[in-house]
Amino acid sequence: MKKKISILLAFIMMSACVCANAQVLYEKETQEIVTLGVTRRNIVRFYGDYALNINCITADLKNENLSLELLKDRGGVDKTQTVMNFAKAEENVVAATNADFFSAYKGDQNFSLGIEIKDGKFLQSHINSDMAAGFFKENVLSFFYPSLSVSVKAPNEMQTTLSHINKPTDYYGALLMYTSDFNSGTSPFLPEGITAVTVTEGKVSAKGVSLGGTIPIPENGYILVIDDNMTPFLDINFNIGDSVELSSEATPSLNGVETAFGGGTMLLSNGEKAPITHDVKGNHPRTAIGTNADGTVIYMITVDGRQTQSRGVSLDTLADICLELGCVNALNFDGGGSTAMVGKTLFQNELHYINKPSENRKVINAVAITQNAQSGDAIGFFADAEKDTVLSGDSVKLRFTPYDENYNTPKRITKEVEWVVKKGAGYVRDNVYYAEGAGEVLLELYYDNKKTDSVTLYVIDEVAGIVADSKLSLSAGATLATENLAEVFDKYGNTAEVKDITLLNPEYDKDFIELSGSTLKVLKESGGKITLSHGKAKRDIKVISGKYDADIGEPQTDDALHKEEDGAFTFNVLGFTGATNLFDRIAYARAMDIFRKADASAVIGADLLSDLTPDALSPVSAQKHTVRDFENAKIISMELSSKGVMERGSQWKKLAEALGSAKQKNIFVLLRGTADFSADIDKAAFSSMLSDGAKNKNVFVIYSGSENFCRINGGVRYISLADVKDEKILWKSIEKAKYLSFNITGDSVTYSFKRLYN
């Protein structure tokens, strides 16, 4: 069995999806071990106008240590609780989801819509014939649309059928039963005039008419209640001491059933999508449970919804997902705010939320996978590192997780653990790798002189650029941790956070700033800067205390393409605020004079001022999605929104089409709006799509920012272009007014930031 697995399926260009007619543009899948026989699978998908977060717990119940359990609140079958609290109250739970639909009655009394059997004990009857249920017997789970009829017979042979068992209601025209599992052994409030018969060990032990209130329920019995004025049965047929005979007919048979729970519609039957009998329309959070063909492998599935990161799905799409995940039979559970999945893993051995509930409401019951194996001695370790890229000279913490023969946390570790640098330079001490050299490093972990796992790292030696916030504001005497204050990248786009800031040769005013170990301290109110450098890469960080300010220079990137050269094809880009003061208007007009000589041009950052745009100039718009094709360049523009994928979805598909069809060597993507995106999923999708598109191509992303700077990530160059704007001092405005110029000859391209005014 493998350890924690991370699989990135990047830029799945226009591939078919299990969702009807939807196109998956990006997918990321991870898998990890829960315990022996149980795994967790997470799938994140991006479709352009929405995303999905899917979780699946798979449990092989042929493993004798595993079982399926129904989770209930100990206060009574009518009480609700969160899935997390259900799981914490039960022993040996390794995974759990919410289960049946339910209705609220009065106060804290509720009832499931389906059947409930826990540990072989019948708790609640089924209500709706259109809703299916799961039955667990001899480690096999099966789904049916059940039928159940329970008859009550008096000594005089008169009999009637129970309407419900342990379901609170205001209707007493039919016979009801309540057991001691209801409300801690107390009946619901019985209105005045309701006849109640108490049965203890099969005989009538009490009989009366309610004056309005509750009555106790014997632990070894039950009560029967009815409105005899509506349906005469209890009063005329039973006396104290009479025997009460119960008989039942059920499909499927309940003999030997250890666990049973209700649900909604069947989603799959024998590998085919089943008719929807209980429909909750729309795209919502969903929960489902499925099995393989013989019912010995269980799939517990959640799809998050009502969130930017995950829209939710319809029941039809949920059935498709169940099929894709391997289910042959599947049942829909309650969804919406009820959808929740909790569990443990080998790597996080405490119960935690696995999905992201939209509401995390209290529910009537849950189903759980339990494991009863006892912890043994460690037989191996899984290894990983806190980060997988590190700057030469810096360090990274290494971690290892022990496991026993059942992939549980072991009770003890009896042998020595040792790290060995198998490839690359550097050394390990006290579970910390100290990086030296450059390139790939392979670290192997040995337990009892046997290799048990390995970690692959990448060491950056030649820094192409330094990324850090351009401004820090601290009061006099304040301190700041410098660990991970800056990030570096190399010419290939590998990035690493820097733990030891001294590796970036910091220069600063020692009367204003004190650097000691991993702490920066401001000594007094003043203005200054810290200059970080590594090779040709340089970065200034403005440090402000009080009312003071400081000037900083533009960051420098050591990029082979960053140079001023003439090309056969020129493409210029201007950042512009859209302001209408005199300097901005003059600067804009100056840019138009320059751009008129280019083969293509664009303005990003704000709306174009149409009255200043020369008729002869036809800029590439960055205000909406457009694609312009040239012989050696494809120019794509996109507009982002604060609502992210939900509002700008269609252009993601167009971006995928444009990248997939690009025959040109040079691709330019212009972003209008924030380059930080509004959700992790669209940011990850964007970078993944472009990184895939960057193979054997030059890909540039240009967006408005506070400075002129190029960052390389995954082979893509992300260029921040400062807006042209009026400064308080005119000469600063003139000096800072720059545009971005690309020069292309054949497949070769260079770029430079050029001043509007020489």
Side-chain angles (χ1 to χ4, degrees), residues 402-438:
Y403 56 88
D404 66 8
E405 62 181 358
N406 290 301
Y407 287 96
N408 290 332
T409 301
K411 63 181 180 182
R412 61 179 180 174
I413 299 171
T414 61
K415 310 294 182 182
E416 293 295 323
V417 179
E418 180 185 10
W419 291 95
V420 175
V421 180
K422 198 68 175 181
K423 176 184 177 182
Y427 61 95
V428 177
R429 185 173 61 214
D430 297 330
N431 295 314
V432 176
Y433 168 67
Y434 295 87
E436 295 176 356

Side-chain angles (χ1 to χ4, degrees), residues 445-596:
L445 182 64
Y446 286 78
Y447 178 60
D448 193 21
N449 296 316
K450 298 176 182 177
K451 177 185 171 183
T452 183
D453 204 359
S454 62
V455 172
T456 301
L457 303 173
Y458 186 86
V459 178
I460 294 175
D461 183 31
E462 296 182 4
V463 173
I466 302 171
V467 180
D469 289 338
S470 59
K471 180 180 178 180
L472 298 175
S473 295
L474 296 169
S475 59
T479 60
L480 176 73
T482 60
E483 186 172 322
N484 302 329
L485 181 67
E487 185 179 280
V488 298
F489 58 87
D490 64 13
K491 62 182 179 181
Y492 306 108
N494 300 299
T495 63
E497 292 180 329
V498 180
K499 180 181 293 186
D500 183 0
I501 200 72
T502 63
L503 296 172
L504 300 181
N505 308 302
E507 297 180 4
Y508 53 92
D509 181 356
K510 292 180 174 57
D511 292 330
F512 172 45
I513 296 170
E514 178 182 274
L515 277 178
S516 176
S518 60
T519 302
L520 177 153
K521 182 177 182 180
V522 172
L523 301 176
K524 61 182 180 180
E525 286 195 356
S526 183
K529 64 180 179 180
I530 299 174
T531 300
L532 305 176
S533 63
H534 194 291
K536 296 180 181 179
K538 186 177 181 181
R539 178 82 193 199
D540 285 344
I541 302 175
K542 182 188 296 189
V543 182
I544 303 300
S545 181
K547 62 182 179 180
Y548 297 92
D549 206 338
D551 289 325
I552 61 173
E554 289 184 349
Q556 299 173 12
T557 304
D558 183 17
D559 182 4
L561 300 185
H562 184 205
K563 52 188 175 183
E564 193 168 333
E565 287 187 353
D566 293 330
F569 181 91
T570 58
F571 171 43
N572 295 331
V573 187
L574 177 71
F576 187 60
T577 63
T580 56
N581 59 55
L582 180 60
F583 176 79
D584 291 333
R585 294 169 69 93
I586 294 173
Y588 184 78
R590 168 66 176 165
M592 295 304 100
D593 287 337
I594 296 172
F595 283 19
R596 189 176 288 109

Side-chain angles (χ1 to χ4, degrees), residues 311-322:
R311 183 190 68 179
V313 295
S314 66
L315 285 178
D316 185 66
T317 299
L318 180 62
D320 288 327
I321 291 172
C322 291

Side-chain angles (χ1 to χ4, degrees), residues 18 29 41-43 45 54-58 268 299-303 318-328:
V18 295
E29 178 177 330
R41 183 178 177 188
N42 174 248
I43 302 172
R45 285 183 176 145
I54 303 166
N55 280 288
C56 177
I57 296 287
T58 303
L268 302 177
Y299 303 84
M300 300 166 64
I301 299 163
T302 60
V303 183
L318 180 62
D320 288 327
I321 291 172
C322 291
L323 270 175
E324 179 200 5
L325 293 173
C327 301
V328 175

Side-chain angles (χ1 to χ4, degrees), residues 143 266 268-271 289-295 299 327-331:
F143 303 125
M266 289 275 286
L268 302 177
S269 179
N270 297 321
I289 187 167
T291 71
N292 65 343
D294 64 9
Y299 303 84
C327 301
V328 175
N329 300 292
L331 169 67

